[in-house]
């Protein structure tokens, strides 16, 4: 079956809206947990960059929906699949089920881009696996060339595609962050259980957004215009 990319985007948006209407059961505690670990520098500044604040909010929402357990060890995405509103069709539930089974966030070396098809050839920096990923935003970004892109992907009906909103590009050649790049366990993290046990996405955000993040000083947020 061919994948309708717009339908999948709508499926994820509907899931996000569902939880957005139920913030009383998760937002306060999740925000405290996120801020305590990531320690976003922009949130401590008197006059923060608006685009960076938007990025922080976007990353927070992505972490909550895809990774943070909400009830009985299950994430909001998993809970939504299990009790989707009656107005959500079975095909939408099946697409989201495939997303839940395959989704992950990582850093990828950009090997090639087919702008016409909107497909990029990406190598996962963490395990060297190579993926053809449908990502028109990456393919249209002329300055996003031979560095690395950090994003969340999933496979639906045989097609890998972006399912998160956070895209973080690093123009440095992959070889310079191959072993000890953002999100990995660094020397200074040894002996700090909360860092060692955190997921890659949270560690990545701590590195690039945190008050003491290795890469925070070089972060620049730009609203993408296709």
């Amino acid at each position: 079956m061919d994948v309708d990319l717009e339908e999948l985007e709508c499926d994820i948006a509907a899931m996000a809206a569902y939880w957005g209407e139920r913030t009383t059961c998760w937002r306060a505690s999740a925000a405290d947990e996120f801020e305590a670990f990531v320690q976003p520098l922009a949130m401590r500044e008197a006059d923060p960059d608006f685009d960076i604040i938007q990025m922080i909010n976007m990353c927070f929402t992505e972490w909550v929906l895809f990774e943070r357990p909400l009830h009985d060890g299950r994430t909001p995405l998993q809970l939504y699949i299990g009790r989707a509103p009656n107005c959500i069709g079975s095909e939408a539930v099946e697409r989201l089920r495939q997303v839940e089974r395959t989704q992950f966030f990582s850093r990828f070396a950009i090997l090639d881009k087919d702008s016409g098809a909107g497909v990029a050839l990406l190598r996962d920096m963490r395990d060297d696996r190579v993926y053809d990923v449908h990502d028109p935003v990456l393919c249209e970004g002329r300055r996003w060339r031979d560095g690395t892109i950090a994003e969340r992907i999933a496979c639906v009906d045989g097609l890998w595609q972006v399912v998160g909103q956070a895209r973080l590009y690093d123009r440095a050649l992959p070889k310079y962050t191959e072993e000890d790049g953002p999100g990995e366990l660094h020397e200074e993290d040894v002996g700090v259980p909360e860092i060692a046990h955190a997921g890659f996405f949270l560690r990545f955000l701590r590195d690039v957004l945190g008050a003491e993040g290795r890469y925070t000083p070089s972060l620049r947020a730009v609203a993408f215009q296709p």
Side-chain angles (χ1 to χ4, degrees):
M1 180 174 64
D2 293 334
V3 182
D4 189 319
L5 301 174
E6 292 185 0
E7 283 188 349
L8 181 59
E9 289 178 2
C10 290
D11 297 337
I12 295 173
M15 183 267 295
Y18 174 90
W19 289 110
E21 295 170 356
R22 293 160 175 79
T23 56
T24 54
C25 69
W26 61 265
R27 186 170 182 84
S29 58
D32 289 346
E33 185 179 336
F34 182 86
E35 291 173 21
F37 184 86
V38 177
Q39 302 178 25
L41 176 62
M43 298 182 71
R44 302 182 180 185
E45 297 175 336
D47 186 23
D49 183 296
F50 175 77
D51 286 334
I52 291 182
I53 292 296
Q54 290 288 87
M55 177 186 291
I56 292 171
N57 290 334
M58 184 169 58
C59 291
F60 166 70
T61 301
E62 182 169 325
W63 169 67
V64 166
L65 294 176
F66 289 94
E67 296 193 8
R68 182 180 183 267
L70 177 59
H71 182 66
D72 289 338
R74 303 175 72 191
T75 65
L77 172 59
Q78 292 169 329
L79 291 169
Y80 182 82
I81 292 171
R83 62 185 188 199
N86 293 332
C87 61
I88 305 300
S90 59
E91 291 185 357
V93 173
E94 174 55 27
R95 286 190 292 267
L96 288 174
R97 187 172 287 114
Q98 292 183 60
V99 169
E100 188 278 324
R101 286 198 301 257
T102 62
Q103 65 85 19
F104 69 100
F105 180 92
S106 193
R107 293 191 306 118
F108 301 91
I110 302 170
L111 304 181
D112 195 13
K113 296 196 297 185
D114 183 341
S115 298
V119 174
L121 183 64
L122 306 178
R123 176 176 63 83
D124 191 336
M125 297 281 287
R126 309 197 73 210
D127 61 14
D128 285 335
R129 294 183 181 180
V130 177
Y131 301 85
D132 282 309
V133 180
H134 187 268
D135 186 355
V137 173
L138 170 59
C139 291
E140 291 171 9
R142 295 182 179 179
R143 295 185 178 181
W144 294 359
R145 293 178 293 187
D146 50 5
T148 61
I149 189 76
E151 58 188 15
R152 186 177 305 275
I153 66 173
C155 186
V156 178
D157 292 339
L159 177 65
W160 286 96
Q161 56 200 289
V162 177
V163 293
Q165 290 189 313
R167 287 181 177 86
L168 296 102
Y169 173 73
D170 187 349
R171 65 182 180 182
L173 293 176
K175 64 182 180 180
Y176 295 119
T177 57
E178 194 87 37
E179 299 297 329
D180 193 27
E184 303 300 341
L185 287 171
H186 311 305
E187 289 184 3
E188 61 268 27
D189 300 330
V190 176
V192 186
E194 60 268 28
I195 296 179
H197 297 156
F200 176 76
F201 186 43
L202 272 189
R203 291 200 304 267
F204 179 92
L205 296 179
R206 183 184 176 98
D207 274 346
V208 301
L209 296 171
E212 299 181 1
R214 279 189 172 195
Y215 301 87
T216 302
S218 62
L219 175 70
R220 185 167 68 95
V222 178
F224 182 80
Q225 298 294 332

